[in-house]
Amino acid sequence: MTQSTADTPAPSVLLGLTVEELKQLASSLGLPAFVGKQLAQWIYGKCVTDFSQMTNLSLKAREKLAATCCIGAHAPAEEMRSVDGTVKYLYRTRDGHFIESVYIPDGDRATLCVSSQVGCKMGCAFCMTGRQGFSASLDAAEILNQIYALPERERLTNVVFMGQGEPFDNVEAVLRATQVLTADWGFAWSPKRITVSTVGLRRGLRRFLDESKCHLAISLHHPLHEGRAALMPAERAFPIREVVDLLRQYDFCTRRRGAADTPHQRRLSFEYIVFAGVNDSREHARALVELLDGLDCRINLIRFHDIPATPLRGVDDAAMLRLRDFLTAHGIFTTIRASRGQDIFAACGLLSTKKQEEMNRK
């Protein structure tokens, strides 16, 4: 991507702009406003990477756009492929940081896990990204580029905002990215193809619930205040009980096997990494049932991917099954998420941390 100098302004990045913003940009360049609609069709409808490919624009328009703008698409800097088909991609941001995306094929489904920040402020004990500290929030173009530049883009069925960063600490860019993904003038995806995960930042959470129809996932990981605060410092400012109270003000549906979602209704899930001796007891299971009583939701139980220098350990399959069966018997639809990419730095943040350390040594 073109770098600005003291005398040369940075090019305008088009990826992430709405169709109205693209029309305004075209007009500012002395081009007809309808060129903005054509830009949206070429960028979001056909995912072109160069203005020369926009063949229904005049040569003059293409030259003017190329001189002042850039699409904002750039290929991954590195990739790691797992024996199970999972691919972890490393992208370099415009300011020289690194972020990760993970492509996860599964039969006729293919999910991409995208990042929303460089590092993270939340400091969760089980998360490698949290150890990086916080460097920057991604803009909408940098979020969308993880999809736009994905080699397997045409096979994607779902996107989850569960990569590096806390999405609702960057709520403006995340909402803009989901708007582009779901708008008729954008990628025109159904909101049901997108899930956004959060530890529960209330202001961003409420905005998301009011402004988006995408699915929601809450990073829970412990049902009790002190236990969750030990794992997730954000619990001190955003207690899970207050988060659940807010969620009770909205309608959700639980998609059970063999059943269809209620039309236009989003799904609510709780992510729960299971740690040996920390959150896996019958007491914790009962507390989960009490916490979520009456809430239309599901729980995804997740195996812990080890990270360096942590006392936390995962549990065996028997413990996962016991917890799942207890929750299911008490009316909470519960699944065990399959572990993927164990041979390619499975835990989020490991690859980008390694790459940043390599760059710092140079």
Side-chain angles (χ1 to χ4, degrees):
M1 183 170 294
T2 304
Q3 298 295 314
S4 62
T5 67
D7 299 319
T8 306
S12 298
V13 178
L14 304 190
L15 185 60
L17 296 185
T18 68
V19 67
E20 290 304 319
E21 289 168 339
L22 289 169
K23 289 178 180 178
Q24 292 169 14
L25 181 138
S27 295
S28 73
L29 295 176
L31 302 172
F34 66 77
V35 169
K37 185 175 181 179
Q38 291 175 309
L39 285 170
Q41 292 168 344
W42 282 109
I43 295 170
Y44 302 129
K46 298 184 180 181
C47 296
V48 300
T49 56
D50 193 276
F51 293 111
S52 64
Q53 297 170 289
M54 301 180 180
T55 52
N56 65 345
L57 273 64
S58 68
L59 179 60
K60 177 183 176 182
R62 281 179 274 163
E63 289 175 344
K64 186 168 288 189
L65 286 164
T68 57
C69 305
C70 66
I71 292 173
H74 58 278
E78 291 185 15
E79 65 180 58
M80 296 184 71
R81 294 185 173 267
S82 169
V83 294
D84 66 17
T86 300
V87 189
K88 177 167 279 195
Y89 289 103
L90 192 72
Y91 289 92
R92 188 164 189 170
T93 66
R94 288 193 293 278
D95 56 6
H97 296 292
F98 292 94
I99 55 167
E100 301 170 21
S101 301
V102 184
Y103 173 74
I104 309 167
D106 184 15
D108 59 356
R109 291 171 56 89
T111 300
L112 184 69
C113 180
V114 301
S115 296
S116 57
Q117 293 181 310
V118 181
C120 185
K121 301 175 186 176
M122 300 301 107
C124 297
F126 49 83
C127 179
M128 195 67 191
T129 302
R131 293 189 184 181
Q132 295 178 358
F134 173 77
S135 296
S137 287
L138 303 183
D139 61 27
E142 290 169 323
I143 293 173
L144 290 167
N145 180 66
Q146 296 168 71
I147 302 164
Y148 201 88
L150 182 74
E152 299 88 353
R153 184 188 64 239
E154 296 302 321
R155 296 180 57 194
L156 272 187
T157 60
N158 300 84
V159 166
V160 294
F161 284 72
M162 296 182 183
Q164 294 171 272
E166 162 54 51
F168 294 159
D169 189 40
N170 188 19
V171 67
E172 292 289 349
V174 168
L175 285 175
R176 176 176 282 264
T178 58
Q179 178 190 16
V180 171
L181 287 170
T182 58
D184 290 341
W185 48 259
F187 288 91
W189 282 24
S190 165
K192 293 181 181 180
R193 296 175 63 180
I194 304 165
T195 300
V196 180
S197 176
T198 178
V199 301
L201 275 64
R202 278 194 301 274
R203 182 177 300 176
L205 174 56
R206 187 179 288 277
R207 279 200 60 190
F208 174 81
L209 291 168
D210 290 339
E211 299 176 26
S212 173
K213 297 299 182 184
C214 298
H215 295 319
L216 175 67
I218 302 294
S219 296
L220 177 54
H221 310 309
H222 203 292
L224 303 172
H225 176 69
E226 290 300 328
R228 189 169 188 260
L231 291 171
M232 307 170 66
E235 169 69 12
R236 300 292 181 192
F238 308 103
I240 190 60
R241 287 195 173 274
E242 293 184 9
V243 172
V244 170
D245 287 344
L246 173 60
L247 296 173
R248 292 187 190 280
Q249 301 173 28
Y250 294 83
D251 291 328
F252 299 94
C253 68
T254 303
R255 186 173 185 177
R256 301 173 187 275
R257 186 170 297 173
D261 288 344
T262 302
H264 310 300
Q265 195 172 37
R266 82 188 95 207
R267 196 166 62 238
L268 171 64
S269 59
F270 288 86
E271 309 297 300
Y272 197 88
I273 302 174
V274 187
F275 303 105
V278 175
N279 64 355
D280 61 334
S281 71
R282 184 59 60 89
E283 175 191 2
H284 297 119
R286 290 195 184 98
L288 278 170
V289 172
E290 188 272 332
L291 174 69
L292 304 180
D293 181 48
L295 194 62
D296 199 354
C297 65
R298 69 189 296 167
I299 293 179
N300 294 318
L301 301 180
I302 304 169
R303 292 175 175 85
F304 178 51
H305 288 166
D306 289 341
I307 62 174
T310 178
L312 296 170
R313 293 291 178 266
V315 300
D316 59 22
D317 288 346
M320 296 287 284
L321 291 170
R322 283 195 300 272
L323 183 54
R324 182 201 65 184
D325 293 346
F326 182 92
L327 295 171
T328 300
H330 286 77
I332 301 179
F333 182 47
T334 305
T335 61
I336 298 174
R337 184 184 295 169
S339 292
R340 301 294 299 271
Q342 293 279 38
D343 55 326
I344 56 164
F345 293 111
C348 190
L350 285 173
L351 180 57
S352 58
T353 297
K354 176 177 178 289
K355 186 64 177 180
Q356 198 65 59
E357 290 173 346
E358 290 175 357
M359 296 294 291
N360 292 341
R361 287 195 294 269
K362 292 182 179 179

